Amino acid sequence: MQSTPCNVGSNMKQRIHHILFNTFQIFDLGSKVFFASLCFIILSLHSYAVFAKHNSIISGTYTVGSGGDFTTLTDAINSYNNSSLNGHVVLILTNTIYSIGETFPLIIKENSSASAAATLTIRPAANVTSTISGSAAYGAVVRILGDYIFIDGSNNGTNSRDLTITNTSVIQPRVVLFGSVGTSPVTNCGIKNCNLINGTSNRSVVLISDTTMTNPPLAGYFSNINIENNSFKSAIYGIYCKAVPVSLNGNGVNFISNDMSNAGPN
């Protein structure tokens, strides 16, 4: 089948010329078409840049909160989960509360490009005291399933506890999970300088195990996990750690200067 050339009639040409002339009076018809096409390309590139900024994390520091690089922690984590990293990533919490608009549980997945030279750190902005509060029944409200992932609750680089993470559910809740998926270990992760509050006192606050949420938890694969200078509230165990009994599994797991003396649900 032969194609038929598309010819624009003289009346249509005059109408197009009239419209473009009224829009861009200083250009002739050919210039206006070129200019319009150029504007379209520029706007498309700008839209792609905005999309890429909010859908890809490569390396560097990103603000999370109102007016930031990401509005919600959920969006920032989803971006991290689906990005290829080439350096350290820091998510800075600029809001005082992360609850409405978030999707719980917050799940930080394995990123195949994560390494000692491409870590993820989540921490509050300078002089900001933040709270992550959500409901996750039968499991942790924050779930770390990958490597080289750290939460640092200090907003000034010291041992101050300026980040609170709360699971408000009363149905078998936990607060933070370091969980292995199958036999793939979770390694080189940690949480420090945080206030960790559970929704009920009959479950642990921090769980290090398999990612499958059962009662009791399944044994997992992990190493080099640091739990340091956190305050635990409302729990039967502050930290519950269960490893599959194989050689070297569970090495380098450290519990340092955590406060488990606080009574009461909050």
Side-chain angles (χ1 to χ4, degrees):
M1 184 172 63
Q2 293 182 343
S3 61
T4 302
C6 179
N7 296 315
V8 180
S10 59
N11 289 338
M12 181 62 72
K13 287 182 179 179
Q14 291 174 6
R15 292 166 110 183
I16 293 173
H17 182 78
H18 177 71
I19 293 170
L20 292 174
F21 179 79
N22 288 335
T23 307
F24 306 104
Q25 296 186 26
I26 64 171
F27 295 101
D28 60 20
L29 180 58
S31 298
K32 283 193 285 287
V33 173
F34 172 77
F35 183 75
S37 299
L38 182 60
C39 288
F40 176 78
I41 293 171
I42 292 172
L43 289 172
S44 298
L45 290 173
H46 174 73
S47 298
Y48 177 79
V50 171
F51 174 85
K53 176 182 178 183
H54 293 279
N55 290 273
S56 179
I57 288 179
I58 299 175
S59 65
T61 299
Y62 300 81
T63 53
V64 182
S66 301
D69 296 310
F70 297 93
T71 303
T72 67
L73 194 51
T74 301
D75 288 342
I77 289 172
N78 287 341
S79 180
Y80 169 85
N81 289 341
N82 294 287
S83 295
S84 180
L85 313 176
N86 68 2
H88 298 300
V89 172
V90 181
L91 299 181
I92 302 293
L93 307 180
T94 58
N95 285 356
T96 57
I97 181 71
Y98 295 83
S99 183
I100 297 174
E102 302 289 353
T103 300
F104 294 102
L106 299 173
I107 302 176
I108 310 176
K109 298 179 181 179
E110 174 72 26
N111 188 310
S112 60
S113 57
S115 67
T119 63
L120 170 65
T121 300
I122 300 174
R123 62 176 176 83
N127 302 314
V128 173
T129 300
S130 292
T131 296
I132 300 169
S133 180
S135 178
Y138 302 103
V141 72
V142 175
R143 302 179 185 182
I144 298 174
L145 312 184
D147 304 333
Y148 299 99
I149 298 167
F150 305 93
I151 300 176
D152 182 356
S154 176
N155 64 15
N156 55 36
T158 68
N159 61 354
S160 62
R161 296 173 183 149
D162 305 304
L163 175 61
T164 297
I165 305 175
T166 302
N167 190 345
T168 60
S169 175
V170 296
I171 306 174
Q172 300 185 28
R174 278 96 174 179
V175 181
V176 177
L177 164 71
F178 295 89
S180 59
V181 179
T183 58
S184 178
V186 57
T187 65
N188 299 295
C189 296
I191 182 168
K192 65 180 181 179
N193 305 325
C194 291
N195 301 300
L196 306 176
I197 305 174
N198 211 10
T200 182
S201 59
N202 63 2
R203 291 294 181 271
S204 56
V205 172
V206 173
L207 178 61
I208 308 173
S209 67
D210 185 89
T211 190
T212 306
M213 291 292 97
T214 61
N215 189 33
L218 298 179
Y221 295 84
F222 47 83
S223 62
N224 300 324
I225 308 292
N226 288 318
I227 314 298
E228 182 177 357
N229 190 44
N230 301 287
S231 171
F232 299 87
K233 294 183 181 180
S234 189
I236 188 170
Y237 304 114
I239 305 168
Y240 188 101
C241 181
K242 189 174 184 179
V244 175
V246 296
S247 179
L248 302 180
N249 190 32
N251 279 8
V253 177
N254 300 301
F255 309 139
I256 305 169
S257 302
N258 296 288
D259 185 358
M260 302 185 187
S261 65
N262 296 288
N266 52 30

